[in-house]
Amino acid sequence: MATITWLLVMLALAMALFHQRRAQAGPPPLVIDSHQEHRFNRAVGSAVAATVLVLAALTITSFFAGKSIASLGGKETLTIRITGHQWWWEIRYPNDDRSRMIVTANEIHLPVGERVKVELDSTDVIHSLWVPSLAGKRDLIPGRPSEITLIADRPGIYRGQCAEFCGYQHAHMAVTVIAESREAFEAWRSRQDAAAIAPASEEERRGQRAFLSTGCALCHTIRGTPAKGAVGPDLTHLANRRALAADTLAMTPGALAAWIADPQSTKPGAKMPRIALSADDLRAVVTYLGSLE
């Protein structure tokens, strides 16, 4: 259909150029030829009618194609809410009991072979969620919620990326999607539902004290502790994630220490400031966060 439309447009353009040359060789343009004017009016009317018919046919075809595709999908079995931030993804798993809503960051878990409804929003600028292996792009626009459906046919790890330029660190705003069996997903959700485990060693207790007594607790939440900050990602089960800083760094003690010590050197412009910690406190905080599985 597109090829036919293109050919018709090119034919109309060629005819217009041909008639323009004939007109230049003919009588002055102010001399009205009623017969020729009638033919032109008829040609223009025919072209407009043909264009309307083509557009109507394309619209109707697109409508029924979309409807048939939607009817093949079935019903969503899970709803996830994703909020875009500069430059990370907040992921919520709603629960009728709001106190049991799971909040995590930069890592999406979903059951394989099931339709997952993803509700999208943004708190600052326009972002765009794109997991190429699972679905197309969908914008996250502040104040204008949208949604998309993700379906993973096979278990695996899929990489997603913000597909809308959203600032200096746009390229460092990735997301990991882990598709797993329903049993594995329920086990993960059960672990996420629990509060953070209490520090087990003196080093971990020192790390928790340092975390709670500095600016860390003002921006981050660790459920089961006084840390209730909502500016940055929820860290309750940080050690279970595969990466840091929206897939910028691998989840290793060394990378975690480097990120805490100087986040701006890794991700300039990120809202996480540098926290003044002694070397011993930094090591203890890394140990404590590394225990939050």
Side-chain angles (χ1 to χ4, degrees):
M1 183 63 77
T3 303
I4 295 174
T5 304
W6 182 82
L7 289 174
L8 290 175
V9 171
M10 291 298 104
L11 179 61
L13 179 61
M15 291 178 63
L17 293 174
F18 176 74
H19 282 291
Q20 183 187 31
R21 292 190 176 183
R22 287 187 58 185
Q24 289 174 348
L30 294 179
V31 177
I32 298 175
D33 183 339
S34 58
H35 179 67
Q36 188 179 42
E37 185 179 15
H38 178 69
R39 285 197 300 116
F40 283 166
N41 289 338
R42 191 168 54 186
V44 170
S46 300
V48 170
T51 302
V52 171
L53 287 175
V54 169
L55 292 177
L58 289 174
T59 302
I60 293 172
T61 303
S62 176
F63 171 76
F64 283 105
K67 188 176 180 181
S68 62
I69 291 173
S71 64
L72 291 175
K75 186 178 180 182
E76 290 89 357
T77 60
L78 177 69
T79 297
I80 299 174
R81 294 174 187 163
I82 296 182
T83 302
H85 300 265
Q86 285 179 310
W87 293 275
W88 60 283
W89 306 92
E90 181 180 17
I91 300 151
R92 294 174 177 265
Y93 291 76
N95 192 303
D96 292 338
D97 180 355
R98 290 183 59 83
S99 65
R100 297 185 60 190
M101 177 185 292
I102 294 173
V103 183
T104 182
N106 306 317
E107 193 171 289
I108 303 170
H109 285 248
L110 50 82
V112 70
E114 300 183 25
R115 291 171 60 88
V116 177
K117 178 181 177 182
V118 182
E119 299 174 344
L120 304 170
D121 203 352
S122 171
T123 60
D124 38 46
V125 300
I126 298 176
H127 303 279
S128 184
L129 179 68
W130 187 29
V131 187
S133 299
L134 304 183
K137 305 173 186 176
R138 187 58 53 90
D139 287 347
L140 295 79
I141 304 174
R144 296 183 60 184
S146 59
E147 62 183 48
I148 192 172
T149 299
L150 298 180
I151 307 175
D153 294 329
R154 296 187 300 274
I157 299 172
Y158 303 86
R159 180 180 169 85
Q161 174 67 40
C162 180
E164 180 76 27
F165 180 74
C166 56
Y168 187 33
Q169 292 297 326
H170 158 71
H172 288 152
M173 188 174 170
V175 62
T176 297
V177 179
I178 299 176
E180 52 203 350
S181 67
R182 170 53 80 166
E183 293 74 18
F185 171 75
E186 292 297 344
W188 172 84
R189 187 154 67 173
S190 178
R191 291 194 298 272
Q192 294 292 314
D193 193 33
I197 60 174
S201 67
E202 181 54 38
E203 183 78 352
E204 292 173 5
R205 284 189 284 273
R206 174 172 181 164
Q208 187 188 57
R209 288 195 297 270
F211 184 93
L212 296 176
S213 62
T214 61
C216 304
L218 298 176
C219 294
H220 296 284
T221 289
I222 297 179
R223 281 177 282 131
T225 77
K228 305 292 184 184
V231 177
D234 187 303
L235 304 181
T236 304
H237 298 286
L238 174 69
N240 271 331
R241 298 174 197 160
R242 298 171 54 85
L244 290 166
D247 250 7
T248 305
L249 300 170
M251 183 63 75
T252 65
L256 182 55
W259 174 246
I260 296 171
D262 191 4
Q264 296 299 316
S265 67
T266 301
K267 218 166 174 177
K271 292 182 179 177
M272 180 167 168
R274 181 176 182 178
I275 302 295
L277 293 170
S278 67
D280 289 341
D281 281 347
L282 175 61
R283 184 167 52 251
V285 168
V286 170
T287 301
Y288 169 60
L289 295 178
S291 71
L292 299 178
E293 296 182 348

